[in-house]
């Protein structure tokens, strides 16, 4: 009876005609002003509860984390993406022992692979050298970095999953980058049969990799994620756990997808802002020649810039839909089991009252009066709680290393003839900055 309020529902359509689905963020902001931090909208006859702002986020994701950690199953994207119901992977899997087991294993494996340790850093730096090469070829001119950053992000996660470098011309790399980029905009574009076809083709390619890999695998000597998973399967035998090759195949897509488009768009957004505000680039370097991930704690300004990149990047504006695991309450409203809950991450990352400069790209958002690094509570680009992003550590390391390494070698500026930049991104489950060109100059080596 006390379901969250919302705009008047039109039979059959619900509220879809009242929302700009191509770019709904402004509409959601308008509805917050009218109905408060928690309200409902209807897609046809199906209600979605939208959660806005830090206070409502904390109740949803932290204090009532287990009431809201489900994931809706009967939506179109799941049918296209998952392919096999018994092997749901992690990203779209409902809250269940299977999800828990697979998430824990993935997290541990990413960590043991050297996250926070030297070896992961070396893998990332090796991939950055390919980016540097392309930028060197374009130095003195301008370029659209779109494909370059997608290729780089995809290659880095492929190093973890498959243990090898893919050339930027490789068919698998090109196919994957295109697949992720197109389908992450599914919410606002025409799609259907084509998405189903692409995800099925992607599964065939992953199965092929898994089969090829077995030929060179030495049990107990893992080279990459696939090997680690197969070792785990051997260890578990027939213990009735959820570990199986279909799950491995699903996880490969989850991690490759989640690790490519998010990072690529964060980097695109980073270099859009940095090109327009080149004075920030000079302050990042501040006379330092060598910068390693290890040193970041001693570099408050660099930390502030990287965090501001993730905040203004705002790449997953509505997170990934949650669902209520039982009949529960949220901010005084009744939420029936199974209700889809939309976490409007964008509303928190730009919330007035939480940030010194909510609407501008400004590293001061993460610095106190003494110039020390501080992280406001509303810094939630990776969400929070039980379903929080499991690639956060890798994402932070990648964005740090790519940004700092490229700034050491190049200076990026906004082309004089490019007019004013449009910072409003193209909306999607993962959103993308509008295409732009940046001017690239080699820095003088000291
Ligand atoms: C800037 C980069 C990234 C951002 C902003 C980001 C953000 C997010 C967000 C908002 C979620 C949804 C959390 C929720 O449902 O409440 C998520 C989930 C997830 N992310 Fe990321 N992510 C990033 C990079 C990565 C990377 C590099 C990987 C993999 C290596 C990854 C793997 C995942 C997985 C597997 C999930 C599902 C977790 C689960 O449901 O248990 N992400 N991410």
């Amino acid at each position: 009876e006390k379901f969250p309020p919302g705009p008047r529902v039109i039979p059959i359509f619900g509220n879809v005609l009242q929302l700009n689905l191509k770019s709904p963020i402004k509409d959601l902001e308008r509805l917050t002003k009218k109905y408060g931090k928690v309200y409902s909208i209807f897609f046809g006859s199906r209600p979605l509860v939208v959660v806005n702002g830090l206070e409502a986020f904390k109740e949803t994701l932290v204090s009532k984390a287990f009431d809201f950690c489900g994931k809706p199953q009967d939506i179109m994207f799941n049918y296209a993406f998952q392919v096999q119901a018994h092997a749901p992977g992690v990203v779209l899997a409902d809250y269940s022992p299977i999800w828990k087991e697979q998430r824990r294993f993935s997290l541990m494996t990413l960590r043991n692979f050297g996250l926070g340790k030297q070896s992961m850093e070396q893998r990332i730096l090796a991939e950055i050298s390919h980016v540097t090469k392309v930028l060197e070829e374009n130095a003195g001119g301008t370029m659209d970095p779109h494909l370059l950053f997608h290729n780089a992000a995809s290659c880095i996660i492929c190093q973890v999953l498959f243990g090898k470098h893919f050339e930027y011309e490789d068919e698998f790399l090109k196919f994957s980058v295109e697949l992720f980029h197109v389908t992450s905009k599914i919410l606002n574009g025409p799609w259907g049969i084509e998405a189903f076809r692409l995800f099925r083709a992607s599964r065939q390619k992953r199965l092929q990799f898994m089969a090829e890999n077995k030929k060179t695998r030495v049990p107990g000597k893992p080279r990459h994620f696939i090997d680690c998973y197969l070792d785990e399967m051997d260890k578990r035998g027939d213990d009735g756990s959820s570990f199986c090759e279909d799950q491995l195949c699903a996880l490969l897509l989850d991690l490759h997808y989640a690790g490519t488009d998010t990072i690529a768009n964060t980097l695109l957004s980073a270099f859009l802002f940095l090109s327009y505000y080149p004075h920030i680039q000079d302050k990042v370097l501040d006379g330092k020649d060598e910068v390693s991930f290890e040193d970041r704690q001693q570099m408050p300004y660099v930390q502030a810039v990287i965090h501001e990149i993730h905040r203004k990047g705002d790449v997953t504006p509505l997170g990934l839909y949650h669902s209520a695991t039982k009949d529960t309450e949220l901010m005084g409203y009744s939420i029936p089991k199974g209700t889809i809950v939309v976490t409007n991450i964008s509303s928190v990352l730009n919330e007035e009252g939480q940030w010194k400069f909510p609407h501008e790209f400004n590293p001061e958002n993460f610095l106190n009066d003494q110039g020390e690094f501080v992280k406001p509570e509303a810094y939630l680009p990776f969400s929070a709680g039980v379903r929080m992003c499991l690639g956060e550590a890798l994402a932070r390391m990648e964005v740090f290393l790519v940004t700092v390494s490229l700034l050491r070698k190049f200076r990026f500026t906004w082309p004089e003839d490019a007019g004013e930049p449009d910072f409003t991104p193209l909306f999607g489950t993962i959103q993308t900055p509008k295409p732009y060109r940046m001017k690239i100059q080699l820095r003088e080596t000291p």
Side-chain angles (χ1 to χ4, degrees), residues 181-198:
H181 188 62
V182 169
T183 54
S184 68
K185 303 289 171 297
I186 254 171
L187 267 183
N188 62 349
W191 72 287
I193 303 297
E194 184 58 6
F196 279 81
R197 192 189 65 75
L198 288 174

Side-chain angles (χ1 to χ4, degrees), residues 61 69-71 90-93 99 103 106 110 157 160-161 251 254-264 266 310 314-322 343 345 380-392 394-396 398-399:
L61 297 174
C69 65
K71 295 276 158 166
V90 175
V91 176
L92 300 177
W99 162 79
R103 178 179 164 104
S106 305
L110 287 181
I157 186 70
V160 177
L161 301 176
L251 280 184
D254 274 8
L255 298 175
H256 194 182
Y257 196 142
T260 297
D261 218 34
T262 48
I263 303 268
T266 304
H310 283 293
D314 195 4
V315 290
T316 48
L318 302 182
L320 292 169
Y321 294 176
H322 286 230
T343 47
I345 291 184
L380 294 174
F382 300 97
S383 188
V386 183
R387 300 299 297 236
M388 181 174 184
C389 176
L390 73 72
E392 179 184 357
L394 175 60
R396 281 154 39 102
E398 267 188 74
V399 172

Side-chain angles (χ1 to χ4, degrees), residues 252-324:
L252 289 177
L253 175 61
D254 274 8
L255 298 175
H256 194 182
Y257 196 142
T260 297
D261 218 34
T262 48
I263 303 268
N265 288 315
T266 304
L267 291 173
L268 281 170
S269 159
F271 283 84
L272 169 63
F273 285 114
L274 292 172
S275 301
Y276 195 63
Y277 302 115
H279 64 281
I280 296 181
Q281 298 175 42
D282 303 333
K283 275 181 89 173
V284 165
L285 294 176
D286 212 10
K288 292 180 199 71
D289 292 344
E290 290 294 326
V291 179
S292 83
F293 192 56
E294 192 84 11
D295 299 336
R296 67 194 184 286
Q297 312 294 3
Q298 280 80 52
M299 303 188 292
Y301 190 78
V302 182
Q303 283 276 75
V305 171
I306 300 295
H307 282 71
E308 184 67 349
I309 284 171
H310 283 293
R311 185 184 79 87
K312 282 307 281 179
D314 195 4
V315 290
T316 48
L318 302 182
L320 292 169
Y321 294 176
H322 286 230
S323 72

Side-chain angles (χ1 to χ4, degrees), residues 139-184:
T142 67
M143 83 174 275
D144 174 352
H146 175 93
L147 197 57
L148 179 62
F149 287 150
H150 273 81
N151 285 339
S154 188
C155 279
I156 291 173
I157 186 70
C158 282
Q159 281 281 3
V160 177
L161 301 176
F162 309 109
K164 66 171 197 166
H165 168 72
F166 287 86
E167 294 302 326
Y168 290 172
E169 290 310 308
D170 181 273
E171 282 309 314
F172 175 70
L173 193 78
K174 285 206 293 202
F175 170 84
S176 305
V177 162
E178 180 67 11
L179 170 72
F180 305 152
H181 188 62
V182 169
T183 54
S184 68

